[in-house]
Amino acid sequence: IQKAILNIGYLDFLNSNFTQHSSYKIFCAMILAYFYLRGLFVKFMEKIRIKIGNVEIGNGAPVSIQSMTNTKTDDTKATLKQIETLAKEGCEIIRLAVLNKTCANALKEITKYSPIPTVADIHFDYRLALMAMDNGINALRINPGNIGSFEHTKKVVQMAKETKTPIRIGVNAGSLEKDLYENNSIPLEEKMVISAKRHVKILEDLDFHLTKI
């Protein structure tokens, strides 16, 4: 990302009308967002290295390749076939949508036969996270702010501690809290960072640190 930003900046700088160039504002926003995010998370990343299955992440570990299935997760045959295809192409971690209990139950067979570590993508229902861990998932992808009450989050974190299951905090423009979404005075990239920090704090307050952002 850093190289791409610098290359774009160098090419535009050669243009005598650099400040008037159509990509100028985008370039500046990219620079600011890059260093803002880097400044916020570099200390955390330097201190913590987690493992999703046999894949190490953070603290100097090589960048890993992750993809997500687009099959119906409860169709275990089709899902495993797609995972195997992705693994042959170099995918190292696979994420699966866990939309309901049927999908959560299917994880038992999927995690047993998957050639690469698996991540359960959980939305809204904390019970699906518990079922996913019961069924051998290697990591969770949740947004701690949208899986219900704080008590629900505590239950997920407690089990994640017991099973040593890393939690990826997923933040995107569509998952912002209402107060951030409606605040037009803050740039989108800052809103996402604020949201991520809130969710990190929820987990850290529960003494959980196997966190990936």
Side-chain angles (χ1 to χ4, degrees), residues 80-205:
L80 281 167
K81 183 179 179 180
Q82 192 172 90
I83 293 172
E84 288 166 4
T85 300
L86 287 164
K88 288 177 182 177
E89 294 298 324
C91 182
E92 298 170 278
I93 300 171
I94 192 70
R95 183 157 53 104
L96 308 105
V98 181
L99 305 176
N100 50 47
K101 290 182 179 180
T102 307
C103 292
N105 285 325
L107 294 176
K108 189 168 187 177
E109 183 175 355
I110 292 170
T111 57
K112 182 178 180 180
Y113 294 106
S114 174
I116 53 179
T118 53
V119 179
D121 198 319
I122 308 293
H123 290 274
F124 307 114
D125 192 341
Y126 79 100
R127 294 169 296 182
L128 298 178
L130 301 180
M131 291 178 67
M133 287 185 280
D134 263 336
N135 288 325
I137 206 74
N138 297 113
L140 296 172
R141 185 272 190 189
I142 65 171
N143 181 325
N146 72 9
I147 58 170
S149 68
F150 184 66
E151 289 302 312
H152 292 169
T153 301
K154 282 177 66 176
K155 289 179 181 179
V156 172
V157 169
Q158 182 58 44
M159 188 168 181
K161 284 182 181 180
E162 293 169 0
T163 57
K164 293 182 172 59
T165 303
I167 294 176
R168 172 190 163 189
I169 293 174
V171 177
N172 54 53
S175 68
L176 290 173
E177 297 89 324
K178 186 177 180 180
D179 65 308
L180 291 174
Y181 181 79
E182 294 179 348
N183 190 336
N184 296 321
S185 66
I186 305 175
L188 178 58
E189 64 272 16
E190 288 188 33
K191 291 181 184 181
M192 293 174 68
V193 171
I194 292 168
S195 180
K197 289 176 68 179
R198 287 180 182 179
H199 301 319
V200 169
K201 188 175 187 304
I202 291 172
L203 298 184
E204 289 185 341
D205 286 348

Side-chain angles (χ1 to χ4, degrees), residues 38 41-49 58-60:
R38 189 173 184 274
F41 294 125
V42 70
K43 289 184 179 179
F44 174 80
M45 291 173 69
E46 286 174 351
K47 291 180 181 177
I48 302 294
R49 179 178 290 197
N59 194 25

